[in-house]
Amino acid sequence: MKTVVKLTQQSVQGEIESVLDTYPYNPYQQAFAIPDLRQELINFVLNRIPCLYSSNLGGHIPFSEDDKECLINYKLPRSPLEQQLHVQNLIHQGIYTIFQDKSDWISHHLCEKIQPGFEPSHWFG
């Protein structure tokens, strides 16, 4: 049995929120609160689900012949739970990959947001 599920960017964003809630605030939730990183994570997930449009989801988009062929030949997990777990796994992979690829950039941007007076080293003189 073949199942076709059209995931929207909104549903993937909701799933990302749920998954990120299981991660510590610092650095994960804090990092993916940065709009560019959040969008990169969304794109990471959507680009790994065949036949989805990463940048223009949300409206009614007509399927091309290539899309129809891809939809016919792609099997998603059968149950909704399996589909959800598949998307969650992609989100975990995306978080790991983005953190690996952009660790210096993330560290730099997160450190910029901390004001010197709030760092523990300044609490004791």
Side-chain angles (χ1 to χ4, degrees), residues 73-125:
N73 292 321
Y74 179 66
K75 288 185 179 182
L76 280 172
R78 289 183 183 207
S79 76
L81 177 59
E82 288 176 321
Q83 293 170 8
Q84 182 181 19
L85 292 174
H86 178 69
V87 172
Q88 288 175 353
N89 185 42
L90 289 173
I91 294 167
H92 289 293
Q93 288 175 21
I95 291 169
Y96 177 78
T97 300
I98 292 167
F99 254 80
Q100 261 195 323
D101 293 348
K102 300 199 175 233
S103 61
D104 291 339
W105 187 89
I106 291 170
S107 295
H108 176 74
H109 278 76
L110 293 183
C111 288
E112 279 184 358
K113 292 183 178 187
I114 299 173
Q115 296 176 0
F118 293 113
E119 294 179 22
S121 62
H122 289 86
W123 295 351
F124 303 104

Side-chain angles (χ1 to χ4, degrees), residues 20-107:
L20 278 174
D21 284 345
T22 67
Y23 282 78
Y25 175 75
N26 186 7
Y28 297 98
Q29 291 181 30
Q30 193 175 9
F32 286 102
I34 300 169
D36 289 343
L37 282 185
R38 176 61 65 100
Q39 189 60 51
E40 189 168 336
L41 180 57
I42 292 166
N43 291 342
F44 180 94
V45 174
L46 293 176
N47 287 333
R48 281 155 182 80
I49 300 172
C51 305
L52 295 179
Y53 305 91
S54 62
S55 60
N56 55 357
L57 284 174
H60 295 288
I61 302 166
F63 290 110
S64 70
E65 289 304 313
D66 290 338
D67 294 331
K68 288 177 187 173
E69 181 67 25
C70 184
L71 287 170
I72 290 168
N73 292 321
Y74 179 66
K75 288 185 179 182
L76 280 172
R78 289 183 183 207
S79 76
L81 177 59
E82 288 176 321
Q83 293 170 8
Q84 182 181 19
L85 292 174
H86 178 69
V87 172
Q88 288 175 353
N89 185 42
L90 289 173
I91 294 167
H92 289 293
Q93 288 175 21
I95 291 169
Y96 177 78
T97 300
I98 292 167
F99 254 80
Q100 261 195 323
D101 293 348
K102 300 199 175 233
S103 61
D104 291 339
W105 187 89
I106 291 170
S107 295

